Amino acid sequence: MKITNQIVESHGLKTQEYENIKKLLKRDPNLLELGIFSAMWNEHCSYKSSRIHLKKLPTKGKQVIQGPGENAGVIDIGDDDAIVFKIESHNHPSYIEPYQGAATGVGGILRDVFTMGARPIALLNSIHFGAPEHPKTKSLLNGVVSGIGGYGNCIGIPTVAGETKFDATYNENILVNAMAVGHVKKDKIFYSKAKGLNKSVVYVGSKTGRDGIHGASMASAEFDENSEEKKPTVQVGDPFTEKLLMEACLELMKDNSIISIQDMGAAGLTSSSVEMASKGSLGIELELDKVPCREENMTPYEMMLSESQERMLIILEDGKEKYAKKIFDKWDLDFVVIGKTTNTQNLTLKFNNKVEGEIPIDALASKAPLYNREWIKKKPQKNKIDLKKLKKIKIDDALIKILSSPNHSNKSWVTSQYDQAVMGDTAQKSGSDAAIIRIHNKDKAIAISVDSSANYCKSNPVSGGKQIVCENWRNLIAVGAKPIAITNCLNFGNPENKEIMGEFTECLAGIKEACEFLSYPVVSGNVSFYNGTNKKNIFPTPVIGGVGLIKKLSKPLNHNFKKNNSALILIGKTFGHLEQSCFLRENYSITEGMPPEVNLLNEKNNGETLLKLIDKNFILSSHDISSGGLITALAEMSIGSNFGAKIFKPKKLTNLHEYFFGEDQARYIIEVDSNCLNKAEKILKENNIFYENIGITQEEFFEIEKELKISTNDLFKINNEWYNNY
């Protein structure tokens, strides 16, 4: 077949990229080779627009065992225990086919974790939908939530934390980011680097079908009005087979049979074989007629580009084939030696004893395009919002509007569809600042959370990038965990647009600055570009997934009030920043302005001091302050408990709306037993922490002196109203 410009374009390759392919091959590629280049050179697999910037992120730390570059990141939590974790996007597939797109997103991220030798112990997600009134939102929401729950519940991994958000920016391009966390012993971590010559390359798992062909390429292009036609590029998942595959792999990993292992994710057999060979500076020869297929007359092109799920590629030690096959036979899974490692440093593809493709590995990997795209710095907004000109609104009316809004209402309709308790180690479910998972049969636990803030990032990408790292940091600290490391999923629009590339570059700069200052390294992640339809791009939406350690878990700490007549202390200074706030957005539909300033020194000092208070057992409950400000955080603490609060009027800041709804950073609310108040205040003073005694807990009512009084029952009803009626 003659390769035409139209064929090149249909594979998502630019004219210059095709010319580079011919130079690297020193000839024209055939269709199979073109398809393989298309898979490996697309944005999703090559990171061609982001690699140059990602290298700037801090990736090392005292507890980092493995940073970016493997299937997932690995951190040391002591006692020979390690945590493996990563977050990835499945945005485009989930918009086209919500159930399968979300389900296979969960399946894919789970494979990234158990490929490293870890048993998955928790799932999280960050899902973003269009405006609730948009005609597609409800069906997309239902499909995605069902897909996440269906896959996770069936495989038996608890889905314990996440976020569900709505905004018109996602009307035509939803975001579905899935995170998985696993536990492994440090001496049983497995990697993807190929080693040795003439070693058996083994295909295990499900059979290969025609689903998901060009899936990675589809995820590397903008949508248009014909996006529905791309349904064949969405993979089909089978959680029951994935369970069998996980158990078979973990069983084989108990022995010393595996040299390297790689899941077949984006770009399927192509990416797994190329990545293994590239990391080991070896070649791989595959006999494609041996690939187990579930459909008749599949071509080498289809086999190499299929993204059928629940498949792995393993390189075995000599003589281990029979032993390994016995395990996979027991679990009723395919096990076929389909090739070998070579010293050619080529990907050699044979079919019916004929060489159908021969490509240098480095042409697909290290010599993939690397772009330093032009970008434009975001111009800061200078005009401040004149609050005096706005129609006055009562504090209680404003609070009710926020608590009953889609983004702040109770989301139990979503979380109740996820099994959060399976495996028996979930110490704290979703609904608090962070979930807590006990390390099996031990006293220690990990805290995990995912966070995003697209509005902040759109307004000021640098500040937004810093803020979202800090919010994640605070969420872990609020439950008593010492933050260790993060994974990130960077969701942006078209990188060929200078403004979008500017948002990406500046957001990354903010993330870098915050991670370095807080000693909070990035150990894994994913970049998702081209999130947009018909040239309309989403807001920049970096999602941060964080993991922290609780060395000894006696009783989980959450944000629910615990006792009557406890002291309420506000940690951190309130300036009353309302620009980009939930207050203005929900009550006045105002989205202009700059986000609040991020003071990293205060973040670090306030957070570390709070950990000291928690360690001394002075804290009954704790909650970070973020969207909606102080009063929203206090209301959330009341809604989840049997107690209300009586809040004093502030002594210094006279504008009550600024005080109660301002979204100043580096702040927490803590509930302190009256018997421990003096001791807690002493530690705060010793560490130069700005704090205020702002009120006490009480029964039945949530109130601000002479300004607001709502029964706790009514508060609960208000917060549950939206989802119940949607």
Side-chain angles (χ1 to χ4, degrees):
M1 176 187 286
K2 181 176 172 59
I3 304 298
T4 64
N5 290 337
Q6 187 177 3
I7 292 173
V8 172
E9 186 179 342
S10 71
H11 281 74
L13 293 164
K14 308 289 187 186
T15 302
Q16 186 56 55
E17 290 175 340
Y18 182 61
E19 292 302 316
N20 290 341
I21 290 170
K22 292 195 290 185
K23 287 179 183 177
L24 288 166
L25 291 177
K26 298 177 181 177
R27 57 177 172 82
D28 290 352
N30 60 34
L31 185 63
L32 171 61
E33 293 167 334
L34 183 73
I36 288 169
F37 271 105
S38 166
M40 293 305 300
W41 281 20
N42 64 53
E43 198 72 60
H44 192 79
C45 292
S46 73
Y47 293 86
K48 57 189 176 187
S49 298
S50 58
R51 285 203 322 270
I52 195 168
H53 299 286
L54 294 173
K55 291 177 180 179
K56 301 172 185 176
L57 292 173
T59 59
K60 297 180 179 178
K62 291 181 181 179
Q63 291 171 264
V64 176
I65 296 173
Q66 175 64 53
E70 268 294 340
N71 287 290
V74 189
I75 56 173
D76 188 344
I77 61 167
D79 309 313
D80 294 322
D81 293 314
I83 295 296
V84 178
F85 65 106
K86 188 182 182 183
I87 189 169
E88 276 203 339
S89 62
H90 229 221
N91 304 335
H92 286 57
S94 299
Y95 182 75
I96 296 170
E97 216 302 309
Y99 185 95
Q100 290 296 349
T104 52
V106 173
I109 199 65
L110 283 172
R111 289 194 299 280
D112 281 339
V113 166
F114 70 76
T115 301
M116 302 285 296
R119 178 170 291 281
I121 58 175
L123 287 162
L124 304 86
N125 56 74
S126 174
I127 50 181
H128 294 68
F129 300 93
E133 63 274 12
H134 190 273
K136 290 184 179 180
T137 296
K138 187 176 283 189
S139 63
L140 289 168
L141 174 66
N142 282 323
V144 166
V145 171
S146 296
I148 292 170
Y151 206 100
N153 296 351
C154 287
I155 198 172
I157 311 295
T159 302
V160 296
E163 57 178 8
T164 304
K165 293 185 175 182
F166 301 87
D167 192 282
T169 189
Y170 310 108
N171 279 351
E172 306 297 333
N173 199 122
I174 64 172
L175 302 182
V176 177
N177 295 179
M179 177 175 168
V181 182
H183 171 241
V184 67
K185 289 294 181 181
K186 286 197 296 185
D187 62 347
K188 282 294 182 181
I189 300 168
F190 289 80
Y191 300 94
S192 58
K193 181 179 178 180
K195 296 177 184 177
L197 296 178
N198 294 312
K199 302 296 183 182
S200 293
V201 178
V202 186
Y203 175 119
V204 300
S206 290
K207 288 180 168 56
T208 295
R210 291 187 171 95
D211 56 315
I213 294 174
H214 292 304
S217 298
M218 177 269 292
S220 303
E222 280 188 344
F223 280 155
D224 55 29
E225 61 276 358
N226 301 314
S227 60
E228 293 290 326
E229 296 175 4
K230 297 179 180 180
K231 279 191 177 182
T233 63
V234 179
Q235 312 93 326
V236 178
D238 180 356
F240 300 105
T241 301
E242 178 118 335
K243 171 67 173 174
L244 299 177
L245 180 63
M246 179 176 72
E247 297 299 342
C249 288
L250 292 175
E251 183 175 341
L252 182 59
M253 287 167 171
K254 293 177 182 178
D255 185 67
N256 295 317
S257 302
I258 297 174
I259 295 174
S260 65
I261 181 169
Q262 177 75 39
D263 86 292
M264 296 190 210
L269 186 54
T270 291
S271 63
S272 56
S273 55
V274 171
E275 287 172 14
M276 293 170 90
S278 174
K279 289 173 182 175
S281 299
L282 293 172
I284 279 188
E285 181 181 291
L286 300 178
E287 297 180 59
L288 297 180
D289 47 302
K290 294 182 178 180
V291 172
C293 296
R294 65 168 182 260
E295 299 181 49
E296 294 183 357
N297 302 317
M298 287 190 68
T299 65
Y301 181 97
E302 291 170 327
M303 293 178 199
M304 290 302 294
L305 297 185
S306 167
E307 294 185 8
S308 295
Q309 299 290 283
E310 296 85 39
R311 304 179 298 159
M312 292 280 190
L313 205 60
I314 300 174
I315 297 176
L316 288 175
E317 294 282 6
D318 293 338
K320 292 291 185 177
E321 292 86 355
K322 286 185 179 179
Y323 169 75
K325 188 176 186 307
K326 193 174 179 180
I327 291 173
F328 282 86
D329 285 348
K330 182 182 78 172
W331 291 101
D332 197 24
L333 295 165
D334 280 300
F335 178 100
V336 184
V337 177
I338 65 167
K340 63 183 181 180
T341 59
T342 70
N343 64 357
T344 64
Q345 296 191 340
N346 289 340
L347 175 66
T348 305
L349 303 174
K350 293 183 175 181
F351 189 67
N352 294 333
N353 294 317
K354 180 184 174 184
V355 176
E356 296 287 346
E358 184 103 29
I359 307 174
I361 292 290
D362 63 357
L364 296 168
S366 61
K367 293 181 181 178
L370 177 62
Y371 296 135
N372 187 5
R373 297 192 184 276
E374 290 185 55
W375 59 276
I376 298 172
K377 189 176 180 66
K378 185 86 172 184
K379 292 182 180 178
Q381 297 184 31
K382 295 180 180 179
N383 297 328
K384 285 200 169 187
I385 297 161
D386 190 349
L387 298 174
K388 295 178 181 178
K389 293 182 178 179
L390 299 177
K391 185 179 177 181
K392 287 188 178 180
I393 183 171
K394 292 181 178 178
I395 290 177
D396 53 348
D397 290 337
L399 177 62
I400 289 168
K401 194 74 179 288
I402 291 171
L403 293 179
S404 59
S405 69
N407 285 322
H408 284 84
S409 63
N410 186 311
K411 296 180 177 62
S412 57
W413 177 87
V414 172
T415 57
S416 63
Q417 297 187 53
Y418 308 147
D419 190 336
Q420 300 188 56
V422 65
M423 298 182 75
D425 286 317
T426 306
Q428 186 153 282
K429 303 176 183 178
S430 62
S432 197
D433 290 281
I436 298 174
I437 304 293
R438 193 184 299 274
I439 303 302
H440 195 62
N441 289 329
K442 295 193 176 181
D443 291 334
K444 64 183 176 185
I446 57 168
I448 43 182
S449 179
V450 292
D451 300 280
S452 63
S453 186
N455 289 307
Y456 284 3
C457 291
K458 182 67 177 176
S459 170
N460 186 309
V462 175
S463 289
K466 287 193 284 188
Q467 187 275 335
I468 199 58
V469 172
C470 292
E471 184 176 346
N472 186 265
W473 160 276
R474 292 197 301 272
N475 281 335
L476 299 183
I477 284 177
V479 299
K482 183 181 186 315
I484 297 176
I486 68 168
T487 180
N488 58 35
C489 194
L490 307 173
N491 306 279
F492 289 79
N494 189 334
E496 298 166 56
N497 180 313
K498 295 178 184 179
E499 291 183 359
I500 301 299
M501 200 62 210
E503 291 173 351
F504 176 81
T505 304
E506 292 195 280
C507 270
L508 220 63
I511 292 170
K512 172 182 181 291
E513 186 180 345
C515 287
E516 285 180 341
F517 195 92
L518 298 174
S519 302
Y520 202 28
V522 182
V523 298
S524 60
N526 169 233
V527 177
S528 177
F529 278 134
Y530 296 98
N531 289 291
T533 299
N534 292 327
K535 310 295 182 184
K536 189 176 181 180
N537 295 284
I538 66 162
F539 282 6
T541 314
V543 176
I544 302 295
V547 178
L549 177 64
I550 302 173
K551 287 186 176 180
K552 189 169 183 177
L553 182 67
S554 52
K555 189 177 181 181
L557 182 66
N558 58 39
H559 69 232
N560 299 335
F561 290 143
K562 300 297 186 301
K563 289 178 68 176
N564 187 35
N565 206 35
S566 304
L568 297 176
I569 293 177
L570 167 61
I571 291 177
K573 197 161 187 176
T574 299
F575 299 95
H577 188 98
L578 283 180
E579 290 184 20
Q580 286 298 325
S581 68
C582 177
F583 169 76
L584 290 181
R585 194 161 50 251
E586 296 296 343
N587 290 284
Y588 297 98
S589 299
I590 294 175
T591 57
E592 293 81 21
M594 295 287 285
E597 180 186 346
V598 177
N599 186 312
L600 294 172
L601 181 62
N602 287 344
E603 287 284 2
K604 187 176 178 67
N605 196 26
N606 291 356
E608 291 179 346
T609 303
L610 177 52
L611 283 181
K612 293 177 183 177
L613 294 174
I614 294 170
D615 189 56
K616 296 285 187 182
N617 293 316
F618 293 161
I619 308 300
L620 296 173
S621 65
S622 167
H623 195 15
D624 92 297
I625 300 173
S626 53
S627 179
L630 169 62
I631 193 169
T632 305
L634 286 164
E636 289 168 348
M637 296 175 83
S638 178
I639 290 167
S641 71
N642 295 317
F643 299 97
K646 184 175 183 178
I647 309 303
F648 312 137
K649 277 191 176 182
K651 295 177 181 178
K652 294 183 179 179
L653 199 62
T654 54
N655 188 307
L656 295 182
H657 291 86
E658 291 180 349
Y659 182 80
F660 285 112
F661 294 101
E663 296 183 6
D664 307 292
Q665 301 294 290
R667 296 186 300 158
Y668 305 82
I669 293 291
I670 57 174
E671 179 191 5
V672 182
D673 191 304
S674 54
N675 296 323
C676 301
L677 182 58
N678 290 337
K679 294 177 181 178
E681 288 185 323
K682 184 180 178 185
I683 290 176
L684 290 168
K685 289 173 183 174
E686 287 173 349
N687 288 273
N688 297 313
I689 302 298
F690 183 92
Y691 73 94
E692 297 176 72
N693 289 289
I694 62 167
I696 57 170
T697 57
Q698 65 178 10
E699 295 179 341
E700 295 188 28
F701 290 98
F702 181 85
E703 67 176 304
I704 301 171
E705 290 181 317
K706 300 178 182 178
E707 289 291 334
L708 174 154
K709 191 170 185 178
I710 306 173
S711 75
T712 52
N713 287 335
D714 285 345
L715 208 60
F716 181 85
K717 290 176 183 176
I718 290 163
N719 193 231
N720 281 270
E721 184 178 339
W722 185 82
Y723 263 94
N724 291 340
N725 295 330
Y726 188 55

